[in-house]
Amino acid sequence: AVVEPYAAIAIGFVGALTYIFSAQLILKFGVDDPLEAFPIHGVTGIWGCIAAALFSVEYNQAEAGYNVRSWGLFYRGGGRLLGANMIAILSIMTWTVAIVAPFFFVLKLAGMLRISEEEEIVGNDFEGHGGYAYPEDVIETTEAEETIKDDPVSMNPNAFRDRVGLDGLDEALDTAPPHV
């Protein structure tokens, strides 16, 4: 609402790049963020606050009903808006860490911060919620299970169990019909 359309396109483009870069960076450092919440909400949110302070247009602020005191740095608005937004970013980061860190610490002490390695292999959708979230998970697992049922003799049950992470596979193979 306070930037020009061309600036919105530039902001979106840079936002996409910051997301891609930060998502790859947290993978490189081994941070466990499977939903990529930090790159999406944290990093691109920070970029959005900075971008507003760079590209905000005085006229657009007035049209939006703001009491215009400062506007974007790229429009000779001075650094006041950028400074205010940097303080806001630091305040939000401090507040978030202060609230979340004790919560995660308690979860870690209770042994509830991470799921087991076995649950990671099968998938938390199935283990935690009793079903698959995505149709391709159901199809992939069903096809693998059908392969074992159709030809249990030629399949290596340990390899399948390791790949898919199913417990009790030996019992399932024992009850499977004999190979014809």
Side-chain angles (χ1 to χ4, degrees), residues 75-155:
Y75 293 95
R76 298 183 183 162
R80 189 173 175 181
L81 185 59
L82 182 60
N85 283 11
M86 295 304 286
I87 291 170
I89 290 167
L90 292 173
S91 300
I92 292 166
M93 289 171 62
T94 303
W95 175 263
T96 302
V97 169
I99 297 298
V100 172
F103 179 70
F104 282 156
F105 180 72
V106 169
L107 285 175
K108 186 172 183 163
L109 286 179
M112 298 169 57
L113 186 60
R114 292 191 56 104
I115 60 174
S116 70
E117 187 176 331
E118 195 172 274
E119 288 173 319
E120 284 183 20
I121 292 170
V122 173
N124 200 34
D125 297 330
F126 186 78
E127 288 292 321
H129 306 291
Y132 292 104
Y134 305 101
E136 59 269 12
D137 292 339
V138 174
I139 293 167
E140 224 175 78
T141 304
T142 304
E143 285 175 353
E145 289 169 347
E146 286 174 3
T147 302
I148 286 183
K149 288 178 187 172
D150 292 343
D151 194 4
V153 175
S154 66
M155 290 296 292

Side-chain angles (χ1 to χ4, degrees), residues 3-179:
V3 301
E4 295 295 326
Y6 81 89
I9 292 170
I11 291 167
F13 183 76
V14 173
L17 293 177
T18 59
Y19 159 70
I20 291 167
F21 176 75
S22 60
Q24 290 175 348
L25 193 61
I26 65 169
L27 284 175
K28 182 180 178 180
F29 287 127
V31 176
D32 186 20
D33 187 5
L35 299 177
E36 297 179 341
F38 179 71
I40 291 171
H41 300 287
V43 178
T44 58
I46 290 169
W47 164 243
C49 288
I50 294 169
L54 297 175
F55 291 99
S56 179
V57 179
E58 182 181 15
Y59 172 79
N60 290 345
Q61 283 187 15
E63 278 290 310
Y66 292 109
N67 183 9
V68 181
R69 296 182 185 186
S70 182
W71 49 93
L73 191 61
F74 292 163
Y75 293 95
R76 298 183 183 162
R80 189 173 175 181
L81 185 59
L82 182 60
N85 283 11
M86 295 304 286
I87 291 170
I89 290 167
L90 292 173
S91 300
I92 292 166
M93 289 171 62
T94 303
W95 175 263
T96 302
V97 169
I99 297 298
V100 172
F103 179 70
F104 282 156
F105 180 72
V106 169
L107 285 175
K108 186 172 183 163
L109 286 179
M112 298 169 57
L113 186 60
R114 292 191 56 104
I115 60 174
S116 70
E117 187 176 331
E118 195 172 274
E119 288 173 319
E120 284 183 20
I121 292 170
V122 173
N124 200 34
D125 297 330
F126 186 78
E127 288 292 321
H129 306 291
Y132 292 104
Y134 305 101
E136 59 269 12
D137 292 339
V138 174
I139 293 167
E140 224 175 78
T141 304
T142 304
E143 285 175 353
E145 289 169 347
E146 286 174 3
T147 302
I148 286 183
K149 288 178 187 172
D150 292 343
D151 194 4
V153 175
S154 66
M155 290 296 292
N156 177 353
N158 291 328
F160 180 75
R161 186 191 310 89
D162 293 343
R163 187 173 72 79
V164 179
L166 296 176
D167 287 331
L169 185 60
D170 295 328
E171 294 82 20
L173 289 173
D174 291 339
T175 60
H179 181 64

